[in-house]
Amino acid sequence: MEYELAVIGAGPAGFSAGIYAGRAGINTVVFDKGNGGGLAAIAPNIENYAGFESITGVELVEKMRKHAEKYSDLHMYEEVISIKKNNKDFTIETTNDKYKVGAVLLAVGTDHRKLDVPGEKEFTGRGVSYCATCDGFFFKGKNVAVIGGGNTALIESIYLKQVGCKTVYVIHRRDKLRAEKAYEDEAVEKGIQILFNKIVKQINGDELVKSLTLKDAKTNEELELPIDGIFVSIGVIPQNELAKQLKVKLTDQGYIIVDPQMRTNIRGVYAAGDITGGLRQVVTAVAEGAIAALSSTEVLGKSYPY
Ligand code: NAP
């Protein structure tokens, strides 16, 4: 099959790219290994995307999906396995088919970082979760802990309190949160208990999670915290495997290096959204997706007035 542009990843950056590319007359396919939406889809609440004072991540990405499918072919649950650069085009192999495309836009985003402690893998889905929006409801009336000290950890803890969890802890490895002060204030006001200087050593249980073994970073003392649910919220890692296949240049942290037009070092390969690092907001992803899509006109023999 042939398309002019393949967008890989259907989060806000990918959907936005699909809209802008389609409207510029570029025959575009958008792939996603899942149902799309990216990490934005699991945000309990988005309150800083202009025009929407408060909207759930699911609602916002569903609006984007409906909008994008007017202009591009959305191929959900079709994972891109490999990309090869040829002389003048690219060959893309997916779980379903093979495609020839003129340009590639990597909007592949990031994935949850793992704690890598004993018990994490075994208890995933049995008390360990990476998404409060998806699983918080199952812990109504129970005691839960959110691991991490960033914005996401604090937002998730507030959400867990809101869905009716009994005691909500935030467990952070340092003595100062990374999260914005406003989120810290709201969490404290809602009765969330923030435990500082606590390092997760192990997750314990039988069929389900029962407790967390924590080590105090200052005194080295260990303590066991009885808990029913653990939400790991310790940041993200870039999904850069396809970029590596194409020999796209990455930062030391593994994010794709782009110029202001969202070009990578490989002609015909563009990137947008969280995979480029930076602010990692829905609004920046959407903007980068638009710029990258329109920049691809330069290799597709099309013009765009900008
Ligand atoms: P983040 O800001 O990178 O924070 C990750 C947190 O996890 C940090 O507190 C870090 O501790 C901790 N951590 C990392 N590895 C750990 C480990 N192995 N064990 C224990 N703790 C560990 O990640 P995020 O909260 O997911 O946010 C990602 C990006 O999205 C950020 O740029 C954030 O600002 C943005 N975001 C913005 C909003 C908003 O504006 N409303 C909402 C959500 C996310 P240290 O602090 O010690 O490093």
Side-chain angles (χ1 to χ4, degrees):
M1 278 173 102
E2 292 200 6
Y3 282 96
E4 289 176 299
L5 173 67
V7 177
I8 302 168
F15 282 143
S16 170
I19 294 165
Y20 272 79
R23 287 175 59 82
I26 300 168
N27 185 19
T28 304
V29 58
V30 183
F31 295 109
D32 198 290
K33 64 183 171 194
N35 191 33
L39 289 189
I42 59 170
N45 224 4
I46 294 171
E47 296 183 343
N48 53 8
Y49 186 63
F52 295 87
E53 280 177 41
S54 178
I55 186 163
T56 66
V58 172
E59 268 181 278
L60 185 60
V61 300
E62 283 315 308
K63 284 179 189 293
M64 290 180 180
R65 182 198 309 280
K66 281 218 173 76
H67 196 170
E69 68 192 7
K70 282 174 73 178
Y71 299 108
S72 296
D73 286 351
L74 304 188
H75 288 212
M76 299 297 100
Y77 298 104
E78 184 168 349
E79 183 173 1
V80 174
I81 308 296
S82 71
I83 311 179
K84 205 172 128 256
K85 184 166 168 51
N86 310 314
N87 253 350
K88 285 195 169 148
D89 57 15
F90 297 85
T91 307
I92 290 185
E93 201 172 335
T94 72
T95 39
N96 294 8
D97 218 331
K98 259 191 177 174
Y99 299 80
K100 278 254 185 294
V101 301
V104 171
L105 197 166
L106 298 169
V108 283
T110 55
D111 201 1
H112 298 288
R113 180 177 287 128
K114 309 287 186 296
L115 274 168
D116 278 334
V117 296
E120 182 179 26
K121 234 189 205 156
E122 297 89 303
F123 289 110
T124 295
R126 295 193 286 131
V128 173
S129 167
Y130 298 84
C131 173
T133 319
C134 322
D135 302 324
F137 183 75
F138 301 116
F139 296 90
K140 198 173 170 187
K142 307 229 161 121
N143 300 321
V144 296
V146 181
I147 319 296
N151 280 337
T152 308
L154 272 286
I155 291 170
E156 297 220 323
S157 72
I158 294 162
Y159 176 77
L160 289 166
K161 195 77 193 169
Q162 188 186 300
V163 299
C165 293
K166 200 162 129 199
T167 307
V168 179
Y169 298 98
V170 167
I171 295 172
H172 184 38
R173 62 183 177 183
R174 287 189 296 131
D175 58 359
K176 196 175 179 312
L177 293 175
R178 186 178 288 271
E180 288 166 35
K181 179 86 169 57
Y183 291 128
E184 180 176 2
D185 291 347
E186 188 178 345
V188 170
E189 193 226 308
K190 297 228 154 95
I192 289 155
Q193 297 192 34
I194 304 176
L195 308 184
F196 290 97
N197 297 311
K198 298 286 181 286
I199 294 163
V200 177
K201 297 294 290 179
Q202 191 166 320
I203 297 168
N204 315 299
D206 38 44
E207 279 300 296
L208 299 171
V209 164
K210 290 269 183 298
S211 71
L212 260 174
T213 306
L214 303 174
K215 186 176 95 171
D216 190 288
K218 293 212 159 141
T219 63
N220 280 338
E221 251 174 66
E222 286 202 358
L223 74 106
E224 197 162 331
L225 184 73
I227 210 82
D228 304 301
I230 295 162
F231 290 84
V232 180
S233 187
I234 58 169
V236 291
I237 42 171
Q239 304 201 87
N240 55 21
E241 300 78 12
L242 294 173
K244 282 180 180 162
Q245 283 186 21
L246 286 165
K247 299 198 168 33
V248 164
K249 271 195 189 150
L250 305 174
T251 65
D252 290 346
Q253 289 78 38
Y255 292 96
I256 294 177
I257 297 172
V258 284
D259 74 6
Q261 296 309 122
M262 312 316 292
R263 299 180 187 104
T264 69
N265 60 306
I266 306 293
R267 185 169 161 77
V269 180
Y270 303 83
D274 284 9
I275 189 63
T276 68
L279 206 52
R280 288 177 287 160
Q281 299 286 298
V282 176
V283 70
T284 48
V286 163
E288 289 184 7
I291 295 168
L294 296 182
S295 291
S296 75
T297 53
E298 67 193 3
V299 295
L300 297 174
K302 308 216 165 203
S303 66
Y304 192 77
Y306 62 95

